[in-house]
Amino acid sequence: MDPLEIDEPGRRVLLMGNEAIARGAIEAGVRYCAAYPGSPSSEILASLARTAPRFGHYAEWSTNEKVALEGACGAAYTGLRAMATMKQNGVNVASDILTAMSLAGNPGGLVLVVCDDPGGISSTNEVDTRNYARLADVPLLEPATFQEAKDMVRWAFSLSEELELICMVRSVTRISHARGVVELGPIEKVARTAVMKPEQRYGSLPPCPNHAEVKDKLRRAAEIYESSPFNRYAGPERPELLVVTCGTGWWYSTEAIRMLGVAERVGVLKLGTTWPLPEALLKRHLEGASSVLVIEESDPVLEYNLKALLSKEALRAAAPSRLLGKVTGTVRGAYGPGVGEMNPNLAADAVARALEIEAPSLPKPLRESMQAEIDFEIPKREVAFCPGCPHRASYWVMKNVLRLDGRDGLLIGDIGCYTLGFGRTGYYLSRTMHCMGSAIGFSSGMAKLAGFGFSQPTIAVVGDSTFFHACLPGLVNARYNRSPFLCVVLDNSATAMTGFQPHPGTGKTALGEEAPRLSIESLCAGMGIPVQIVDPFDVPAATRLLYRALQKNELQVVVMRHKCAVLQGREEGLPARRVWVDAEKCIGEQCGCNRFCSAAFGCPALIWDKEKECAAIDEVICSRCGLCAELCPGGAIRITEEEVQP
Amino acid sequence: MTALRKDPFNLIIAGVGGQGNILASQLVAQAALAEGLNATIGETYGVSQRGGSVMSHVRLTAGTPVGPLIPQGEADLLIGFEPIETLQVAMDFGSPQLRVILNPRPVYPISVLSGDLAYPPMERILDLLRGHAADLSTLPATDIAREAGEIRAMNVVMVGALASAGLLPMDKESYLRVIRDQFRGRAREINQRAFETGYEALPSAHA
Amino acid sequence: MSSRDPVSDASAPAEKGPRELREEVLDRGLCTGCGMCLDLCPYIEEMGENIAFISDCRGDQGRCYAVCPRTPTDLDALRRFTRSDHRSGFLLGPYESVWMARARDEEVRSRAQYGGTVTALALFAIETGRIDAALLTAWSQDPDEPYATMPLVARSRDEVLSASGSKYTAGPTLKALDGILRGDARKVLVVGRPCQVLALRKRMRIEDPTFPGERIALVVGLFCMWSLSYRDFEGMIEPLAGGRRLKRIDVPRGRFIVETDREAFELDHDSVRPHARQACRTCFDFTSELADLSVGSTEWKDDWNTLIVRTGAGRDFLEEAVQKDRIEIEPFPKDRLRLLEEASFNKKKRVLEQLEQQAKTTGMEAYLRLSREEKEFFLSAHGPGSEE
């Protein structure tokens, strides 16, 4: 049985952090859930969509995060409990409505869950979205465990209703994408009819009185926080060092204390409610603590807020003589304080430094003893397009076209699977990679520079999901302002990077229902932009088409359409055929001077048989797409239609 | 309650995206949970669905759950799905007490396939692990999986081997129950067979 | 420095490869678009008459470099290899005789640019079984590229006829050569521009005599002053032709006339010429001096060709074609020959001076390696037809 559907309070189940967040919403009786996929947040909405039939809530993949939050907001205006979830980049997209709607409030419980990605493990930045809580004047909760992830989300709904203000819950990769034991709670049965009454009006004009009102709400939030069970202290009554921490910082802090064996000397004050800060609670714990060390993920947000609080007249007496953290350089990071992910070792290092322990006796990793014996380079495993990925074919084509064109043409890319165009398997072709849809904006600007001597043709590359998410205004702009560039939409029929979520072009909703399939080509045609479609696996046709398009000095769209290989495999299994290398025909090192297929093409399944001195295919990895057979100049890679063991 | 040799017991599964790393870590954690232990899994995977480094930290404890990241040098057991991934994880998280079970079949990084770098000689990798860790067992898990009928069930073969190694307290039956719970039909059959073959395949550990 | 040119000397290994081909030729805009390297290597591809490395080959030496008409070229060594006679001097390269020539066949002549000599030679070779196919350049059939050319492997009369008429861009026709020879054609006739003839001879010289050497029955070289950059050509033609297929291009004495299916229009010759490929400005050879037979216009009588017999193979072939009444020849008037020589002299002198100048400014040796005697002939003299 799906653990999220178990209605058995007290039952302990193993949940992913994102599932725990979803369960919290379910237990709170959430009715409306919306999200745009993005690691490490995607599994929240996926879990809610999966369980929607059981609990009757609504869940959707919205076209972008702003729309998701606006949808949830709309639901909250009608009195329902609603939630929007997104990754850190998504809050930037949603920030316009977030900073506006908080001023006017909402009657139904409204929760924004943001999953940050410290260290940028699966992101292009490591933005700390807690800063938005202050920016938008909204209460912030930070779970430190899987249990809290569930419980806090549940509580966030009632807090939001009590304050009539959206609440933000900030998770991080190590909670969202980790798993642990969670004790389930009861599922609230909330029977509410959605209605917006005549007297209900929500507008942020005039802003100033509204702003004052939301400040009042925050003061009330701080009062409520004073007695929150999510804030707790553990340790000696009068610790030599008080660690103030939140989120995963708590985990690393307690681990650090264990590692250093300093449990008698160090106390830990864990805060779950980090904006606004509960003053009285902090005053109580800080009074008498001479050394305070703040350990938290990402930016020193808690640290700054604490410093600001301690500058208040009423709290000045509680200010410790030493307040240590990232600002003081006590808490370090892989790339400097506040840069990169926290971990137990960094926390132990900080605690040791705060306690002035000279050389903490921590276990030495094997690296130190092994290093001397390693007389070879360990090859780095670069991120790469998956075997069979249509984007590899598309990038192969675009690389060839740009080279054949010979005018130093540029590939302007952005965010999606095709971000990997920045790396080796995308032939390092992408020249930009920032945020969704920005390839269009960049190209739109660059293509207007002919008058300043700019003569390089431009290909703007976006994905299918990105197209719907953030490309339409940019294309409208380019069309309106007559900016001549080639926009290539890499359509792999999924939001593949984040786990194959459907989008408006796929004909399916998050709930698995049939949906109108929005056509990229019709949308472009509707704007009067010439559009062509080609299958990137037809390399010669795609190359010709793109080359020809690049010769024209006008705005055009080419959709390179081929389904994601992983998705294809999931839906239909591997094709019943074998792709193999005919060792007799393969001329190996002699081919095009040196193994053209593996050296130039870059498929992870196309390996090298040292003994036979010829190419080979790793059957475990190969997706049987067969593109290599087309590229092999000697016809040595063969496809045999036959049933093969999966 | 089931007792661990060391508490928390820290296990890492190291491999490459697409090898079923995450499923393997869940099988172990669920089996532990079924026997009353607490389990935390921290997974590190990058942006790519297939082909990037993947590392799962599985931490078992009879006490309060611990965090998802194992501190450096504190891993007790390392299940390696891929040799250089295993070597690097051993270097960062292993101590001289580390035990390693390794499938010595390489998955070549793109930089090797392109001819820029060489894959290190397998014997050197094995020597290093043998010389610095407490114990190294190798298992041709991919070949075993192929014989079991599904080459991609290598992960479950390795879990079978881990279960038989006697390092974790869980019963063989607990793992099998998890497999039965998680799979239906042919997948269940194949995974059961993969687990059983893996369980029998590590002769040294039964001594 | 070795006295032997390492590149064009078959006994020495090629010391340079793809990197140098890119640096010395492609990146400097010196590619002639001949197409010779294309079929030798999967790393090199062509589109729109641009030739490029689609991926960076790591090989450190290669035939791609050795066969290129813009890599170091020892012209005397190639002349010896082609067994062409030297007595005729430097002006038009080695040759035995020069003729006025034209096809006997009315249909051939009606479709030809001038006298139809090339078409008649190719037809004669096919019809008498001397070759299995002729490698020609025809207008592209691709509706997306109505102004482009394509290599045509002609095996029938209709196919040969379909390639009639001059083209003024640099179709990479030689890319199809290996494909034909690896297919079912045992012997072929190749028609090419001077750069293509040069590339073909360089290739034949470094490779085994049996392949492709002996398989090439006859090399017919065209006269060529320059070829246009395809991109520029398309840019000039498109507004006028509007996507309609080209039928014929004529460049009669300082005019540039383009005919489509529907109409003819004229471009200003002086505005067309600057769009010649950069590589053409470094070309020393406008009469295909390493061919067996060279054919071009007479710049005088529009239904005749100038035909230069350069090798024994060329002479034998022509004699038979004349004997079998396929080709009609007449002696080439002395005064016309002097004009031809003068045109050649002027081009050679201009190019040599430019190459010398470039070698001085870039510090890179010019691709063309000539004997001191030949070089001085052009750089010091005023030329045969000089009025001074």
Side-chain angles (χ1 to χ4, degrees), chain A residues 409-533:
Chain A
L410 302 171
L411 191 148
I412 303 296
D414 58 41
I415 298 294
C417 281
Y418 55 102
T419 295
L420 300 181
F422 222 69
R424 187 187 289 268
T425 54
Y427 317 109
Y428 306 107
L429 217 53
S430 290
R431 304 290 287 271
T432 64
M433 173 192 59
H434 292 302
C435 64
M436 302 202 38
S438 56
I440 306 269
F442 291 154
S443 304
S444 184
M446 291 167 121
K448 293 301 291 183
L449 305 180
F452 305 97
F454 189 71
S455 61
Q456 294 162 275
T458 308
I459 304 182
V461 176
V462 299
D464 46 342
S465 192
T466 304
F467 180 86
F468 296 110
H469 178 284
C471 292
L472 294 170
L475 278 174
V476 170
N477 180 71
R479 172 78 177 128
Y480 166 54
N481 289 304
R482 294 186 192 277
S483 186
F485 63 92
L486 173 60
C487 169
V488 169
V489 183
L490 300 182
D491 181 359
N492 61 355
S493 308
T495 316
M497 185 67 119
T498 52
F500 318 105
Q501 295 80 10
H503 62 63
T506 60
K508 279 267 182 293
T509 68
L511 300 173
E513 291 161 352
E514 292 290 318
R517 191 188 290 267
L518 270 78
S519 150
I520 294 171
E521 48 274 31
S522 304
L523 284 166
C524 294
M527 292 184 232
I529 302 171
V531 55
Q532 300 179 84
I533 301 154

Side-chain angles (χ1 to χ4, degrees), chain C residues 62-80:
Chain C
R63 292 182 298 171
C64 57
Y65 184 84
V67 303
C68 176
R70 287 297 177 268
T71 57
T73 298
D74 179 344
L75 211 48
D76 281 337
L78 286 163
R79 286 167 179 158
R80 283 194 296 279

Side-chain angles (χ1 to χ4, degrees), chain A residues 12 179 255 381 497 619, chain B residues 38 41 47 59 85 146:
Chain A
R12 296 166 71 250
R179 280 164 213 273
E255 189 102 40
R381 200 171 294 277
M497 185 67 119
E619 55 180 329
Chain B
N38 270 318
I41 309 175
V47 287
R59 310 189 71 186
E85 294 303 318
R146 186 191 287 111

Side-chain angles (χ1 to χ4, degrees), chain A residues 88-107:
Chain A
Q88 80 274 12
N89 308 56
V91 189
N92 300 327
V93 178
S95 62
D96 198 0
I97 183 60
L98 177 65
T99 51
M101 65 79 57
S102 61
L103 291 178
N106 48 277

Side-chain angles (χ1 to χ4, degrees), chain A residues 321-341:
Chain A
S321 53
R322 295 200 308 162
L323 178 51
L324 308 171
K326 286 174 178 166
V327 180
T328 56
T330 315
V331 181
R332 298 183 176 178
Y335 302 88
V339 186
E341 202 185 12

Side-chain angles (χ1 to χ4, degrees), chain C residues 99-332:
Chain C
W99 303 92
M100 300 281 283
R102 64 177 182 181
R104 283 282 189 194
D105 188 323
E106 287 293 335
E107 191 193 358
V108 169
R109 276 220 307 278
S110 72
R111 297 180 59 165
Q113 193 84 16
Y114 303 109
T117 306
V118 174
T119 307
L121 289 168
L123 283 175
F124 176 63
I126 287 178
E127 285 163 12
T128 55
R130 286 159 190 270
I131 58 166
D132 304 296
L135 178 55
L136 310 171
T137 304
W139 291 114
S140 159
Q141 293 303 303
D142 184 346
D144 290 338
E145 297 201 314
Y147 322 126
T149 67
M150 65 170 191
L152 179 72
V153 181
R155 293 159 195 273
S156 67
R157 180 179 173 87
D158 282 352
E159 285 171 341
V160 172
L161 282 172
S162 75
S164 305
S166 302
K167 320 291 181 297
Y168 287 86
T169 63
T173 317
L174 289 177
K175 72 177 177 183
L177 180 67
D178 280 53
I180 322 174
L181 295 178
R182 273 191 247 103
D184 58 356
R186 221 182 34 80
K187 290 254 183 188
V188 298
L189 175 148
V190 179
V191 178
R193 304 185 301 276
C195 52
Q196 293 177 311
V197 173
L198 173 57
L200 186 57
R201 293 300 189 199
K202 286 179 91 171
R203 167 102 190 268
M204 288 162 82
R205 184 158 180 262
I206 59 161
E207 299 225 51
D208 193 279
T210 58
F211 191 97
E214 287 169 9
R215 309 277 297 276
I216 295 164
L218 199 73
V219 179
V220 177
L222 303 169
F223 290 9
C224 174
M225 271 298 196
W226 39 258
S227 290
L228 295 172
S229 137
Y230 182 76
R231 181 174 283 132
D232 291 0
F233 178 64
E234 190 184 68
M236 289 185 286
I237 295 290
E238 173 68 34
L240 299 164
R244 277 188 296 279
R245 192 175 299 286
L246 300 188
K247 222 170 96 186
R248 183 185 165 92
I249 297 178
D250 214 356
V251 190
R253 289 172 281 277
R255 300 170 69 198
F256 196 95
I257 302 166
V258 180
E259 269 178 59
T260 67
D261 293 343
R262 211 179 288 177
E263 62 199 327
F265 46 85
E266 183 168 346
L267 294 167
D268 175 24
H269 186 272
D270 290 340
S271 68
V272 170
R273 265 196 77 152
H275 297 284
R277 283 177 88 99
Q278 208 181 319
C280 299
R281 292 173 203 151
T282 60
C283 180
F284 186 66
D285 172 9
F286 103 89
T287 58
S288 289
E289 296 178 11
L290 293 166
D292 293 308
L293 296 171
S294 303
V295 183
S297 80
T298 62
E299 297 286 325
W300 173 39
K301 288 186 171 176
D302 283 350
D303 53 349
W304 286 84
N305 288 107
T306 302
L307 187 151
I308 305 179
V309 179
R310 298 189 179 276
T311 65
R315 181 211 317 130
D316 294 349
F317 191 87
L318 178 68
E319 275 174 7
E320 204 159 334
V322 170
Q323 199 186 333
K324 295 269 158 64
D325 223 14
R326 303 296 180 94
I327 301 271
E328 179 186 358
I329 54 173
E330 283 184 3
F332 201 80

